[in-house]
Amino acid sequence: MPIGQFTWTVDTPTGVLKNHSLSAKLREESYPEAVFGRYVAVEPGFGMKKGESHNITRVGRLSEPTNARISETEKVPIEKLLPAIRTITVSEWGRGVEYTDLAQELSTFDPASQHQKALMEQITQVMDTAAAAEFKKATTKYTPVTASSGTFSTTGVAGATAGVNFSLVHAQQIRDYLRETLRARYYNSSKYIAIGSVKALRGIKNDPQFILWNQHLERGALLY
């Protein structure tokens, strides 16, 4: 027969007769990494049966006088330390996932454990996103404008449009501002903590000065 006279077709039906192998490993879709939640603390002294709101008291600092010296007969000046109160209202958050009893009885993989794990991952992500939203409400904003400078804003809105990616110089300027202007307390010992996007941190890691510092570290050591 000349070539091309016959056409072969597959007549095997679809389904388990043709393909009946099931992987023993259950694959799961990945969740974004939760990073903000680890820097959020549980409020002490609050819990169930405590009402619908919680009041937080914040005490400011006394301003430094120009001259604190007094004479022998002079009365000691009296200053006022006024506390500030912020009220947090409690709200209920929740989600559920449903599956049938038939799915529980017939499924190769246990749907109960799948759904429970998925819910826990969702809760972690929801709470981390909520924490991130509060971090972003900070009134002080810094914008990198040039490779060696940036601008600060205290209105809660960025004072300029970023002209370059974040670098080590900008991190140093923020650190100095926290210490000298805001007098912010360290997060841990003598350190401030920054949470940065992948691109912002890439700007730090690609900084020539940062690379130079890392050359003197042992393998596996971290730079703080």
Side-chain angles (χ1 to χ4, degrees):
M1 282 286 182
I3 298 176
Q5 294 293 324
F6 290 95
T7 301
W8 295 94
T9 59
V10 179
D11 58 359
T12 304
T14 59
V16 294
L17 176 63
K18 184 176 180 180
N19 188 358
H20 58 273
S21 177
L22 177 65
S23 173
K25 182 178 180 180
L26 181 64
R27 271 73 175 180
E28 300 174 352
E29 184 177 358
S30 61
Y31 275 80
E33 183 181 4
V35 295
F36 288 88
R38 68 187 67 172
Y39 299 108
V40 177
V42 177
E43 178 63 21
F46 184 77
M48 297 180 64
K49 310 298 182 181
K50 294 285 187 176
E52 64 179 6
S53 62
H54 184 59
N55 297 314
I56 296 178
T57 305
R58 178 179 180 272
V59 179
R61 61 172 180 263
L62 294 174
S63 60
E64 182 181 355
T66 304
N67 186 357
R69 294 186 180 90
I70 59 175
S71 63
E72 182 179 359
T73 58
E74 184 180 356
K75 291 184 178 180
V76 176
I78 304 300
E79 302 195 35
K80 293 182 179 181
L81 186 61
L82 299 177
I85 304 296
R86 173 173 293 183
T87 301
I88 298 177
T89 302
V90 179
S91 59
E92 185 176 20
W93 296 29
R95 279 295 187 273
V97 180
E98 65 177 8
Y99 59 90
T100 65
D101 183 64
L102 187 64
Q104 177 75 40
E105 294 178 355
L106 301 182
S107 295
T108 300
F109 301 106
D110 181 20
S113 59
Q114 299 170 29
H115 288 62
Q116 184 179 26
K117 183 177 180 180
L119 272 176
M120 292 300 297
E121 290 177 335
Q122 185 192 60
I123 290 172
T124 301
Q125 192 60 46
V126 167
M127 300 307 295
D128 198 67
T129 300
E134 297 303 316
F135 273 82
K136 294 175 183 179
K137 291 180 181 179
T139 56
T140 302
K141 306 286 185 181
Y142 176 86
T143 306
V145 178
T146 67
S148 60
S149 66
T151 179
F152 287 95
S153 170
T154 57
T155 62
V157 180
T161 300
V164 294
N165 192 20
F166 197 64
S167 70
L168 187 61
V169 172
H170 304 130
Q172 292 170 337
Q173 293 175 0
I174 293 175
R175 195 271 180 195
D176 294 343
Y177 187 85
L178 284 169
R179 191 60 178 166
E180 296 177 358
T181 303
L182 299 182
R183 295 186 177 90
R185 294 184 179 181
Y186 293 122
Y187 177 81
N188 182 15
S189 182
S190 59
K191 304 180 185 68
Y192 292 117
I193 300 296
I195 302 175
S197 66
V198 174
K199 187 174 182 179
L201 297 181
R202 177 55 54 195
I204 293 285
K205 295 175 182 178
N206 288 343
D207 191 291
Q209 187 174 357
F210 187 85
I211 295 175
L212 180 62
W213 289 351
N214 275 277
Q215 291 177 352
H216 303 286
L217 295 179
E218 296 180 359
R219 184 176 182 84
L222 299 177
L223 182 65
Y224 289 94

